[in-house]
Amino acid sequence: SGMALWLKADDLDLADTTAVSQWNDASGNGHHATQGTASDQPSFVASDADFNNQPHVHFDGNHELAIPFSAELNPNNVTVFVVATVDSDTGTYQGIINNYTSNTGWLLYAKMSGSDNYWQVRTGTGSAQIISAATDSVVPNTPSIVTFKISGSDGSGGGTTVQTLSVNGTSAATSSAVFTKKSSTSNTPILGQVGSFQLTGQMAEVVMFNRALSTEETKQVEGYLGTKYGISGTAGFKTSNPYETATFPAVLG
């Protein structure tokens, strides 16, 4: 329960290299990611060996997809899973998802500036809180499962908040900073862009829940994504639930 958004590239019924004007939300909530300007549309890649021969959506540094504001996508607590990577070390930040305005909400990017390349999340706390994964956790052309979770927050800068960032099923960073959710009605989330920093890279799947998943539920989703995209360290997790399979974990059902 609580799935708010599910974008998966294998749902796109497109020919290879076709521009992506709309990435439909498979959660059933209608939070489709769209781009009406042709020059800003990313492209569909039908198969990539780096992604276990699965498809992905490629952003070239000038592309983005936006989703209209919804309170369902801006809850007090959230769990987000993203399968993505960058094409190369560009020496600058590369935006993955932007759901952030004026120190409220959250955003995810690949920090490629300097000699250390790693995943980083920034959250709205009144004064921004940044949590970072390990050095070299971003490897060009090698997809990662990036999991971000907020639990215990009241969404208004209070509560006993825990923020966690994991990469490929392994905890990378935690924070007890309070969280202020985004309430501005500007289009967000935006895929492939964080402010002036845009993604030159690949995104295969985004799954968002409007609650903090349990440890077991988190492992189910990471196991599903790890199996699907051939990412080591996460594949094969399965509970005793008879409805769960390697490609359809019960938590996504």
Side-chain angles (χ1 to χ4, degrees), residues 84-86 88 109-112 117-120 133-142 144 146 167:
T85 189
V86 300
S88 62
Y109 51 85
K111 184 179 183 297
M112 308 303 291
N117 303 324
Y118 46 82
W119 298 106
Q120 213 168 53
T135 296
D136 296 328
S137 55
V138 180
V139 180
N141 295 303
T142 302
S144 295
V146 183
V167 179

Side-chain angles (χ1 to χ4, degrees), residues 104-124:
T104 64
W106 57 270
L107 54 82
L108 167 68
Y109 51 85
K111 184 179 183 297
M112 308 303 291
S113 61
S115 59
D116 302 328
N117 303 324
Y118 46 82
W119 298 106
Q120 213 168 53
V121 170
R122 178 171 177 166
T123 60

Side-chain angles (χ1 to χ4, degrees), residues 119-229:
W119 298 106
Q120 213 168 53
V121 170
R122 178 171 177 166
T123 60
T125 62
S127 60
Q129 169 70 23
I130 297 175
I131 53 177
S132 305
T135 296
D136 296 328
S137 55
V138 180
V139 180
N141 295 303
T142 302
S144 295
I145 302 170
V146 183
T147 306
F148 171 59
K149 187 186 303 184
I150 298 175
S151 62
S153 171
D154 67 3
S156 300
T160 305
T161 305
V162 178
Q163 301 182 27
T164 61
L165 176 63
S166 299
V167 179
N168 297 340
T170 299
S171 178
T174 62
S175 170
S176 59
V178 295
F179 172 69
T180 303
K181 67 182 178 182
K182 182 181 180 296
S183 58
S184 168
T185 57
S186 59
N187 277 358
T188 49
I190 298 174
L191 308 183
Q193 179 255 43
V194 170
S196 61
F197 301 114
Q198 294 184 292
L199 173 64
T200 303
Q202 308 132 45
M203 196 178 311
E205 197 146 344
V206 178
V207 190
M208 183 188 302
F209 290 82
N210 58 16
R211 64 182 178 91
L213 297 192
S214 69
T215 298
E216 182 175 280
E217 290 172 327
T218 302
K219 287 182 177 179
Q220 287 182 53
V221 180
E222 290 171 339
Y224 148 73
L225 294 171
T227 299
K228 183 174 182 177
Y229 297 105

